């Protein structure tokens, strides 16, 4: 039931976010590229949708969950988020490197830490719309390759975060679906 509610939230976000289409002409400096079953999909419609004031693996820190983008095609619906500290003092020390990936059903859980991805995948070929795939625990990689300060105001610091990821999902028919991707996104941190 909890997984159904989270996927419902993810689906609602996708409908609410404008311009969420698959587009092979990436013209924005921000993007989400993904190979799903070795087929490339891209979107430059990176959302600024944020779920603020979430909890994470450090109980006395506040987290935001920022949407990286969605890819919705006939075969699949992919939804990617990054969980990160809300405050710049907490976020600023982060370095490029390996971070974790969590299943989309855990979007609002306290398991994620700073710079972890939360990825949900729906296999549209299976009648059960929600929770028809799970993230396979092996070979899960989220590699942040660069974090660059873009600008600063009196209240926020904006960073550009680049990275790549690789993981496998397994659908309810026990078919393994490989997902490999890259992203370039803005993150705002409160001063």
């Amino acid at each position: 039931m909890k997984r159904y509610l989270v996927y419902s939230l993810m689906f609602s976000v996708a409908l609410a976010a404008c311009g969420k289409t698959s587009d092979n002409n990436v013209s924005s400096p921000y993007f989400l590229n993904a190979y799903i079953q070795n087929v490339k999909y891209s979107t430059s419609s990176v959302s600024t949708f944020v779920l603020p004031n979430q909890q994470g693996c450090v109980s006395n820190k506040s987290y935001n969950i920022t949407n990286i983008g969605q890819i919705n095609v006939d075969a699949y619906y992919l939804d990617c988020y990054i969980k990160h500290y809300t405050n710049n003092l907490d976020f600023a020390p982060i370095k490029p490197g390996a971070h974790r990936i969590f299943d989309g059903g855990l979007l609002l859980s306290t398991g994620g830490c700073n710079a972890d991805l939360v990825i949900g995948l729906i296999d549209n070929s299976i009648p059960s719309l929600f929770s028809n795939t799970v993230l396979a625990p092996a070979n899960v990689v989220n590699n942040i390759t660069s974090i660059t300060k873009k600008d600063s105001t009196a209240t926020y610091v904006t960073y550009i975060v680049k990275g790549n990821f690789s993981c496998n999902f397994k659908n309810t028919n026990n078919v393994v679906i490989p997902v490999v991707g890259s992203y370039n996104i803005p993150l705002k941190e409160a001063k």
Side-chain angles (χ1 to χ4, degrees):
M1 181 68 168
K2 185 177 181 181
R3 181 173 265 250
Y4 174 79
L5 292 173
V6 171
Y7 278 129
S8 295
L9 173 66
M10 289 171 36
F11 185 71
S12 298
V13 169
L15 292 177
C18 60
K20 294 288 179 235
T21 60
S22 227
D23 181 0
N24 288 326
N25 265 334
V26 180
S27 58
S28 168
Y30 307 121
F31 62 84
L32 168 64
N33 293 327
Y35 286 86
I36 306 171
Q37 290 282 51
N38 299 316
V39 177
K40 183 180 181 185
Y41 303 100
S42 299
T43 182
S44 60
S45 299
V46 174
S47 175
T48 56
F49 177 79
V50 174
L51 295 167
N53 302 316
Q54 300 297 311
Q55 295 181 352
C57 68
V58 179
S59 61
N60 64 343
K61 304 286 183 187
S62 178
Y63 293 81
N64 285 343
I65 300 173
T66 300
N67 184 258
I68 293 175
Q70 293 99 18
I71 294 174
N72 191 8
V73 294
D74 288 341
Y76 300 102
Y77 173 71
L78 179 75
D79 200 7
C80 297
Y81 295 83
I82 188 167
K83 193 169 197 174
H84 58 97
Y85 288 136
T86 302
N87 295 313
N88 187 51
L89 287 175
D90 297 325
F91 181 81
I94 192 170
K95 304 288 183 213
H99 297 273
R100 296 178 298 175
I101 298 176
F102 290 88
D103 187 89
L106 300 173
L107 181 65
L108 302 178
S109 77
T110 59
C113 289
N114 196 25
D116 288 342
L117 292 184
V118 181
I119 302 176
L121 180 73
I122 297 172
D123 184 340
N124 291 330
S125 71
I126 297 176
S128 171
L129 180 60
F130 297 106
S131 59
N132 64 19
T133 67
V134 297
L135 182 67
N139 302 319
V140 176
V141 177
N142 169 26
N143 182 40
I144 293 181
T145 56
S146 73
I147 302 168
T148 309
K149 188 174 176 181
K150 180 183 176 193
D151 57 36
S152 182
T153 68
T155 54
Y156 288 98
V157 177
T158 302
Y159 293 91
I160 305 302
V161 178
K162 294 181 183 182
N164 54 66
F165 59 91
S166 175
C167 57
N168 291 315
F169 285 85
K170 186 183 277 190
N171 70 18
T172 52
N173 295 332
N174 287 320
V175 174
V176 174
I177 304 165
V179 179
V180 177
S182 60
Y183 53 89
N184 187 36
I185 57 166
L187 291 183
K188 279 191 171 183
E189 301 298 326
K191 282 188 174 178

